[in-house]
Amino acid sequence: MATQLKNLSDFSTASEIPSAVNYSFGIVVAEWNAEITNALYQGAYDSLIKYGAKPENIHSYPVPGSFELTSGAELLLKNKELDAVITLGCVIQGETRHFDFICAAVANGVSNVAIKYSKPVIFGVLTTDNQQQAIDRAGGKHGNKGDEAAVTAIKMAKLNETLIG
């Protein structure tokens, strides 16, 4: 029995996606695994524009690797008026436990920055077993997690606006 592939970034059956026209976003993107992170960035940027964000309200900054995404997000929130920050990176399993430490640190760090600033900080980091899985999720057969991160940022910015005005 053949397994049907699912584009995980298909929002056609999802709840309504609010307009992003009145929001400002930060995008912090890791330079490590650039083939993947550049595709994630393009997906996120294009989705923000698609849903109404103004280019001048999208502030993008590179950081060396996924571990630095937390610091990058914190620096953005400390120095800019933003409604949400998207972190984009890719960590691919290697032969050592380094993968586990980086993934845990980034996930916890992103959550902590969101809590500290009471602003949405979106975890758009691929944590894959191999390069092909990353390609498949950065515009390949499973969609683009950058798109998903952007839609999440828009929805969370709207929720934050709704709750605190």
Side-chain angles (χ1 to χ4, degrees):
M1 183 167 159
T3 306
Q4 186 176 18
L5 293 178
K6 181 177 182 187
N7 179 342
L8 302 173
S9 303
D10 179 9
F11 297 103
S12 61
T13 61
S15 62
E16 183 177 331
I17 299 166
S19 171
V21 72
N22 294 321
Y23 301 128
S24 291
F25 300 94
I27 302 176
V28 185
V29 60
E31 296 173 320
W32 192 259
N33 291 317
E35 173 189 357
I36 304 301
T37 61
N38 290 341
L40 293 172
Y41 172 79
Q42 197 61 56
Y45 184 88
D46 290 349
S47 289
L48 290 173
I49 296 296
K50 175 181 177 180
Y51 293 107
K54 298 172 189 162
E56 61 270 20
N57 290 339
I58 302 171
H59 308 276
S60 304
Y61 295 91
V63 294
S66 291
F67 188 79
E68 291 77 28
L69 290 170
T70 299
S71 298
E74 181 159 4
L75 288 168
L76 273 177
L77 287 170
K78 186 189 267 187
N79 293 295
K80 291 203 173 286
E81 273 300 315
L82 300 170
D83 296 295
V85 173
I86 301 166
T87 61
L88 301 171
C90 177
V91 185
I92 300 172
Q93 177 68 58
E95 296 178 1
T96 68
R97 294 180 39 216
H98 180 76
F99 172 89
D100 300 319
F101 296 120
I102 296 299
C103 294
V106 176
N108 287 326
V110 166
S111 294
N112 288 335
V113 172
I115 291 166
K116 178 178 179 179
Y117 288 91
S118 296
K119 295 279 184 158
V121 181
I122 310 308
F123 185 78
V125 180
L126 296 178
T127 57
T128 63
D129 291 327
N130 56 57
Q131 181 84 7
Q132 188 59 52
Q133 287 178 346
I135 291 167
D136 291 344
R137 289 156 179 79
K141 65 184 179 183
H142 292 303
N144 190 320
K145 293 295 182 184
D147 296 342
E148 295 174 36
V151 169
T152 300
I154 295 166
K155 287 183 171 188
M156 292 302 293
K158 177 66 174 174
L159 175 62
N160 197 37
E161 176 187 51
T162 300
L163 294 176
I164 63 171

